[in-house]
Amino acid sequence: MSAYIIKTNNVSKKFKKAYAIKNLSMSVRKNSVYGLLGPNGAGKSTLLKMITGIIRPTSGQILFDDHPWTRKDLRNIGSLIESPPLYENLTAFENLKVRATLLGIETDKCNDVLQRMDLMHTKNKKASEFSLGMKQRLGIALALLGSPKLLLLDEPTNGLDPFGIEELRQMIRTFAASGISVIVSSHILSEVQQVADDIGIIYNGSLLYQDEVDANDDLEQLFMDIVRREREA
Ligand SMILES: Nc1ncnc2c1ncn2[C@@H]1O[C@H](COP(=O)(O)OP(=O)(O)O)[C@@H](O)[C@H]1O
Ligand SMILES: [Mg+2]
């Protein structure tokens, strides 16, 4: 069995003439949190969209759990990319119920994921009445419905207050502890440092760095050095 839930081998994505992702090889360990770091426009969303099949790589290969990625693997991948796909006029529970029905998942599971995301008390509130943080959490609850092995969270802390960010961080750690691998992207270095086991730094569509991270690393400095070196090259 592979130690990696996702491996990309020299993956590229070209839009019209420009490459958004260039020969990118990334390895995401099972049951870990992988922090994908990079400034706006670096290619984070494009990379995550290729892993969820929203867009196809122009070249290269994506391996899911050691086999070439196919659409069947989407059963094991939950994602929240850009903003959560909610029906504003439906309640939290109804939003989940709609997705559960589509996927053939039992209603009980809707309550499980509400509980897990600490939304039980707002189960019957309409999504339109939710704060941004609650919407993000409902978006993650939707992503968890299918009991994924891999969860992709694209800049999930955007728009959250410090309290919401801390709560989300703790939730992300519980996912990894319960056997869900997580890829979380961010343009905020300090945020990822506190939650990730490994980080990848993406810049101009290239992965410039990938390694384990610990609390003592000076990510700001590392990031600046790597980007400066790339610009000079
Ligand atoms: N559908 C698209 N068509 C053309 N260019 C795109 C498209 N999606 C993304 N891009 C370009 O690809 C690059 C990477 O974008 P993106 O993956 O959204 O970056 P990030 O998520 O890191 O901010 C940007 O230059 C962006 O303009
Ligand atoms: Mg993005």
Side-chain angles (χ1 to χ4, degrees):
M1 228 177 45
S2 171
Y4 299 101
I5 190 77
I6 284 286
K7 264 181 174 262
T8 71
N9 293 329
N10 285 314
V11 164
S12 296
K13 176 68 193 179
K14 198 176 180 184
F15 289 116
K16 304 266 166 58
K17 280 180 194 145
Y19 280 94
I21 296 291
K22 275 171 285 188
N23 292 325
L24 193 147
S25 299
M26 165 176 89
S27 306
V28 179
R29 292 189 288 148
K30 282 185 180 161
N31 304 337
S32 75
V33 177
Y34 187 101
L36 184 63
L37 283 168
N40 290 329
K44 302 180 296 296
S45 298
T46 302
L47 181 60
L48 297 180
K49 282 176 186 168
M50 288 193 280
I51 299 173
T52 55
I54 297 172
I55 55 176
R56 284 164 160 278
T58 307
S59 59
Q61 191 186 38
I62 298 174
L63 298 179
F64 180 83
D65 200 1
D66 231 13
H67 60 259
W69 182 101
T70 69
R71 300 206 75 84
K72 275 190 191 156
D73 295 314
L74 292 179
R75 251 185 264 159
N76 292 312
I77 301 176
S79 65
L80 175 55
I81 293 184
E82 291 165 351
S83 53
L86 302 178
Y87 297 104
E88 297 276 330
N89 59 334
L90 298 186
T91 65
F93 183 79
E94 288 165 346
N95 267 284
L96 288 161
K97 180 85 191 195
V98 168
R99 174 82 65 94
T101 306
L102 276 172
L103 296 175
I105 292 167
E106 287 180 28
T107 308
D108 283 357
K109 187 76 196 181
C110 299
N111 288 315
D112 289 353
V113 295
L114 281 169
Q115 197 117 45
R116 184 144 199 191
M117 296 312 295
D118 198 17
L119 288 170
M120 257 331 223
H121 57 294
T122 51
K123 176 179 172 177
N124 296 316
K125 218 177 185 182
K126 281 190 180 176
S128 58
E129 294 163 21
F130 273 29
S131 69
L132 202 57
M134 285 157 71
K135 282 186 180 174
Q136 284 297 63
R137 264 152 52 199
L138 182 53
I140 298 173
L142 281 166
L144 289 171
L145 261 185
S147 308
K149 289 184 185 152
L150 172 67
L151 183 63
L152 307 177
L153 302 176
D154 190 18
E155 310 226 25
T157 58
N158 275 359
L160 298 193
D161 59 31
F163 189 69
I165 292 174
E166 176 54 28
E167 274 183 344
L168 187 61
R169 199 180 282 145
Q170 284 172 13
M171 283 170 182
I172 290 174
R173 285 308 329 171
T174 67
F175 297 150
S178 69
I180 304 174
S181 314
V182 185
I183 305 178
V184 54
S185 77
S186 180
H187 63 277
I188 304 165
L189 305 180
S190 55
E191 209 166 76
V192 164
Q193 179 153 27
Q194 296 175 54
V195 76
D197 300 299
D198 299 306
I199 58 155
I201 295 179
I202 181 171
Y203 184 73
N204 265 341
S206 299
L207 195 71
L208 299 182
Y209 179 90
Q210 176 175 270
D211 206 348
E212 288 181 38
V213 66
D214 70 60
N216 302 319
D217 291 343
D218 187 347
L219 271 193
E220 300 279 344
Q221 194 57 48
L222 176 71
F223 184 79
M224 292 303 176
D225 289 348
I226 288 168
V227 168
R228 197 172 299 127
R229 218 177 303 147
E230 176 69 11
R231 281 183 177 159
E232 283 165 6

Coordinates of all heavy atoms in Angstrom, one line a residue, residues 6 51 62-65 67-78 148-150:
I6 N -2.1 11.2 -2.5 CA -2.0 11.9 -3.8 C -0.6 12.1 -4.2 O 0.3 12.4 -3.4 CB -2.7 13.3 -3.8 CG1 -4.2 13.2 -3.8 CG2 -2.2 14.2 -4.9 CD1 -4.8 12.9 -5.2
I51 N -7.3 17.9 -9.1 CA -7.4 16.7 -8.3 C -8.9 16.3 -8.1 O -9.3 15.2 -7.9 CB -6.8 16.9 -6.9 CG1 -5.3 17.2 -7.1 CG2 -7.0 15.7 -6.0 CD1 -4.5 17.6 -5.8
I62 N -1.8 12.2 -12.4 CA -2.2 12.3 -11.0 C -2.5 10.9 -10.5 O -3.3 10.1 -11.1 CB -3.4 13.2 -10.8 CG1 -3.1 14.6 -11.3 CG2 -3.9 13.2 -9.3 CD1 -4.3 15.6 -11.2
L63 N -1.8 10.5 -9.4 CA -2.1 9.2 -8.8 C -2.9 9.4 -7.5 O -2.5 10.2 -6.7 CB -0.8 8.5 -8.4 CG 0.2 8.1 -9.6 CD1 1.4 7.4 -9.0 CD2 -0.5 7.2 -10.6
F64 N -4.0 8.6 -7.4 CA -4.7 8.6 -6.1 C -4.5 7.3 -5.5 O -4.8 6.2 -6.1 CB -6.2 8.8 -6.4 CG -7.1 8.9 -5.2 CD1 -7.2 10.0 -4.4 CD2 -7.7 7.7 -4.7 CE1 -8.0 10.1 -3.3 CE2 -8.5 7.7 -3.6 CZ -8.6 8.9 -2.8
D65 N -4.0 7.3 -4.3 CA -3.7 6.0 -3.6 C -3.0 5.0 -4.5 O -3.3 3.9 -4.5 CB -5.0 5.4 -3.0 CG -4.8 4.5 -1.9 OD1 -3.6 4.3 -1.5 OD2 -5.8 3.9 -1.4
H67 N -2.8 4.6 -7.7 CA -3.3 4.3 -9.1 C -3.6 5.5 -9.8 O -3.9 6.6 -9.2 CB -4.5 3.3 -9.0 CG -5.7 3.9 -8.3 ND1 -6.0 3.5 -7.0 CD2 -6.6 4.8 -8.7 CE1 -7.1 4.2 -6.7 NE2 -7.5 5.0 -7.7
P68 N -3.6 5.5 -11.2 CA -3.9 6.7 -11.9 C -5.3 7.1 -11.6 O -6.3 6.3 -11.5 CB -3.8 6.2 -13.4 CG -2.9 5.0 -13.4 CD -3.1 4.4 -12.0
W69 N -5.5 8.4 -11.3 CA -6.7 9.0 -10.9 C -7.8 8.7 -12.0 O -7.6 8.9 -13.2 CB -6.5 10.5 -10.8 CG -7.7 11.4 -10.4 CD1 -7.9 11.9 -9.1 CD2 -8.8 11.8 -11.1 NE1 -9.0 12.6 -9.1 CE2 -9.6 12.6 -10.3 CE3 -9.2 11.6 -12.5 CZ2 -10.8 13.2 -10.7 CZ3 -10.4 12.2 -12.9 CH2 -11.2 13.0 -12.0
T70 N -9.0 8.3 -11.5 CA -10.2 8.2 -12.4 C -11.3 8.9 -11.7 O -11.3 9.1 -10.5 CB -10.6 6.8 -12.7 OG1 -11.1 6.2 -11.5 CG2 -9.4 5.9 -13.2
R71 N -12.4 9.1 -12.4 CA -13.6 9.8 -11.8 C -14.1 9.0 -10.6 O -14.7 9.6 -9.7 CB -14.7 10.0 -12.8 CG -14.2 10.9 -14.0 CD -15.4 11.6 -14.6 NE -15.8 12.7 -13.8 CZ -15.3 13.9 -13.8 NH1 -14.3 14.2 -14.6 NH2 -15.8 14.9 -13.0
K72 N -13.9 7.7 -10.6 CA -14.4 6.8 -9.5 C -13.8 7.3 -8.2 O -14.4 7.1 -7.1 CB -14.1 5.4 -9.7 CG -15.0 4.6 -10.6 CD -14.7 3.1 -10.6 CE -15.5 2.4 -11.7 NZ -14.9 1.2 -12.1
D73 N -12.6 7.8 -8.2 CA -11.9 8.2 -7.0 C -12.6 9.4 -6.3 O -12.4 9.7 -5.2 CB -10.5 8.6 -7.3 CG -9.7 7.4 -7.7 OD1 -9.8 6.3 -7.1 OD2 -9.0 7.5 -8.8
L74 N -13.5 10.1 -7.1 CA -14.2 11.2 -6.5 C -15.1 10.8 -5.3 O -15.4 11.6 -4.5 CB -15.1 11.9 -7.6 CG -14.2 12.7 -8.6 CD1 -15.1 13.3 -9.7 CD2 -13.3 13.7 -8.0
R75 N -15.5 9.5 -5.3 CA -16.2 9.0 -4.2 C -15.4 9.2 -2.9 O -16.0 9.2 -1.8 CB -16.4 7.5 -4.4 CG -17.8 7.1 -4.7 CD -18.0 5.6 -4.7 NE -17.9 5.2 -6.1 CZ -17.6 3.9 -6.5 NH1 -17.2 3.0 -5.6 NH2 -17.6 3.6 -7.7
N76 N -14.1 9.2 -3.0 CA -13.3 9.3 -1.8 C -12.6 10.6 -1.6 O -11.7 10.8 -0.8 CB -12.1 8.2 -1.9 CG -12.7 6.8 -1.8 OD1 -13.5 6.6 -0.9 ND2 -12.3 5.9 -2.7
I77 N -13.1 11.6 -2.4 CA -12.5 13.0 -2.3 C -13.6 14.0 -2.0 O -14.6 14.0 -2.7 CB -11.8 13.4 -3.7 CG1 -10.7 12.4 -4.0 CG2 -11.3 14.8 -3.6 CD1 -10.0 12.6 -5.4
G78 N -13.5 14.7 -0.9 CA -14.4 15.8 -0.6 C -13.7 17.1 -0.8 O -12.5 17.2 -0.6
P148 N -15.1 11.0 2.8 CA -13.9 11.0 2.0 C -12.6 10.5 2.7 O -12.6 10.6 3.9 CB -13.8 12.5 1.6 CG -14.3 13.2 2.7 CD -15.5 12.4 3.2
K149 N -11.7 10.0 1.9 CA -10.4 9.7 2.4 C -9.5 11.0 2.3 O -8.4 11.1 2.9 CB -9.7 8.6 1.6 CG -10.4 7.3 1.9 CD -9.6 6.2 1.1 CE -10.3 4.8 1.3 NZ -10.1 4.0 0.1
L150 N -9.9 11.8 1.3 CA -9.1 13.0 1.1 C -10.0 14.2 1.1 O -11.1 14.2 0.4 CB -8.4 12.9 -0.3 CG -7.6 14.2 -0.8 CD1 -6.5 14.5 0.1 CD2 -7.2 14.0 -2.2

